[in-house]
Amino acid sequence: MITKENILSTAKKAILSESESIKKLVDYIDAQFVDAVEMIFNAKGRLVITGIGKSAIIAQKIVATLNSTGTPSLFLHASEAIHGDLGMIAKEDVIICISKSGNSPEIKVLVPFLKDYGHALIAITGNMTSYLAKSSDLVLNTTVDAEACPNNLAPTNSTTAQLVMGDALAVCLMELRDFKASDFAKYHPGGALGKKLLLRVKDMLENALKPTVSPDTPIKKVIFEISEKRLGVTAVVDNNKVVGIITDGDIRRMLNNHDTIAGITAQDIMTKNPKTITSSSMVIDAFNLMEDFSITQLVVVDEGEFKGILHIHDILKEGII
């Protein structure tokens, strides 16, 4: 009978088994790994990664990681390669071939063609005595003791090891290229990640309202300005210089402390020296500043000139956080 405890136990065993396999990879990082990184880094062509079966799926993920981190890469399915797709490989490309056994029929057919064309060949394999390992210029060892599969058949530990070895290559290449967050942003312009890395405060102010009052504006008009602009705040500006802000909270506190609003002006209740940010700042930095000071809006100022109000609700609408 299968119980919840059995399921939990099996899941934990699988995770521990895979984590142990990854841990052992550290012992396989050697001079050949260094040579592989340098070969890819110094290549005049692209990096082409090929494989068959589950290894082909891992190859696609590694290609995606490398492309997004500055190493131009292509995926080539091993079976399709020997049926015409070899034409996608250019003369100066470096090839990585991924195979657990290193003895798959497709690999045995493909490798001689790659060698005949003079391509540098790097193997990622779990069989160091395989045809692939013996035929390659460099070999990255991803040997595992067993699969997490209870029958020791389904690729689990082995494909995880391949994936991690690919990540190790990608991270080393990023460091060699001095690949920064700004570079990463160029390859990820869409979605929440792109916005987080690229969106600047000025991009959110193009059509934004600019609630503004002067220091001597009567409170009634201040309330009207806050209500009309619907940001819950207004800047207090004197000679185009922001001298304070008034929020909904300031209005509520004033009403609680005064029986009449006659004679009260903006400067009487404003918060002086409000937190500001420049329009060229990153939106994520603006959000972090709001969090640090537990506030919901920032006054945007460039060289002393009031540019607008950035509200936390606008940031949340962009899906950055």
Side-chain angles (χ1 to χ4, degrees):
M1 178 181 176
I2 298 176
T3 65
K4 292 182 179 180
E5 288 72 21
N6 293 146
I7 294 172
L8 291 172
S9 177
T10 300
K12 291 177 180 179
K13 285 179 181 178
I15 293 171
L16 288 172
S17 178
E18 297 211 16
S19 65
E20 284 298 317
S21 295
I22 295 170
K23 186 177 179 180
K24 290 180 180 179
L25 284 183
V26 173
D27 298 328
Y28 301 148
I29 300 298
D30 54 15
Q32 290 208 54
F33 181 88
V34 175
D35 291 343
V37 171
E38 292 179 341
M39 178 184 290
I40 297 168
F41 178 72
N42 294 318
K44 295 180 180 179
R46 303 156 302 178
L47 178 62
V48 179
I49 307 182
T50 187
I52 193 76
K54 303 300 185 294
S55 295
I57 298 172
I58 297 301
Q60 291 179 71
K61 190 275 175 186
I62 296 173
V63 165
T65 299
L66 290 166
N67 278 327
S68 68
T69 53
T71 300
S73 305
L74 292 173
F75 167 68
L76 173 64
H77 198 284
S79 64
E80 297 300 326
I82 58 179
H83 291 284
D85 282 1
L86 272 173
M88 69 189 288
I89 304 177
K91 182 179 180 181
E92 295 177 325
D93 291 346
V94 172
I95 315 294
I96 289 180
C97 186
I98 305 177
S99 172
K100 177 188 175 182
S101 70
N103 290 317
S104 300
E106 295 87 353
I107 299 300
K108 287 185 175 181
V109 173
L110 175 61
V111 167
F113 286 105
L114 298 175
K115 299 301 292 182
D116 287 345
Y117 293 154
H119 293 291
L121 180 61
I122 302 169
I124 295 180
T125 183
N127 185 354
M128 300 300 285
T129 62
S130 65
Y131 176 82
L132 174 61
K134 292 178 179 179
S135 303
S136 299
D137 299 296
L138 297 169
V139 183
L140 306 185
N141 189 353
T142 53
T143 299
V144 297
D145 295 333
E147 300 289 2
C149 164
N151 299 313
N152 193 29
L153 293 174
T156 45
N157 290 2
S158 58
T159 47
T160 300
Q162 294 168 354
L163 186 63
V164 172
M165 187 64 75
D167 286 342
L169 285 172
V171 171
C172 290
L173 289 164
M174 286 176 69
E175 289 201 351
L176 282 176
R177 300 183 194 284
D178 193 24
F179 197 84
K180 296 181 172 59
S182 56
D183 299 310
F184 194 78
K186 296 176 184 176
Y187 299 107
H188 298 78
L193 181 58
K195 290 180 180 179
K196 186 174 182 178
L197 295 169
L198 293 172
L199 195 64
R200 296 186 182 275
V201 173
K202 62 184 177 182
D203 299 323
M204 301 186 66
L205 294 179
E206 292 179 356
N207 300 311
L209 300 173
K210 293 173 60 178
T212 311
V213 297
S214 61
D216 58 358
T217 299
I219 285 302
K220 185 176 181 180
K221 290 187 176 180
V222 171
I223 295 174
F224 180 78
E225 180 72 1
I226 293 175
S227 299
E228 184 183 42
K229 301 299 172 59
R230 303 178 68 178
L231 291 176
V233 64
T234 183
V236 182
V237 178
D238 188 17
N239 292 322
N240 208 33
K241 180 181 179 182
V242 177
V243 295
I245 61 168
I246 300 174
T247 66
D248 285 337
D250 294 323
I251 297 295
R252 287 193 296 271
R253 283 185 289 272
M254 176 207 64
L255 293 174
N256 189 54
N257 296 328
H258 295 81
D259 294 328
T260 178
I261 63 173
I264 300 176
T265 60
Q267 60 190 342
D268 296 324
I269 68 167
M270 71 181 184
T271 299
K272 297 180 180 179
N273 302 315
K275 299 300 178 185
T276 65
I277 196 164
T278 62
S279 65
S280 61
S281 298
M282 305 303 296
V283 170
I284 187 62
D285 293 333
F287 175 80
N288 291 334
L289 188 60
M290 291 181 192
E291 280 207 320
D292 289 343
F293 290 96
S294 299
I295 56 179
T296 58
Q297 62 272 316
L298 286 170
V299 179
V300 183
V301 176
D302 286 341
E303 298 180 354
E305 183 180 352
F306 176 53
K307 293 295 184 179
I309 300 289
L310 179 64
H311 200 286
I312 194 169
H313 291 163
D314 296 324
I315 298 177
L316 295 176
K317 285 179 183 177
E318 289 293 334
I320 296 174
I321 308 304

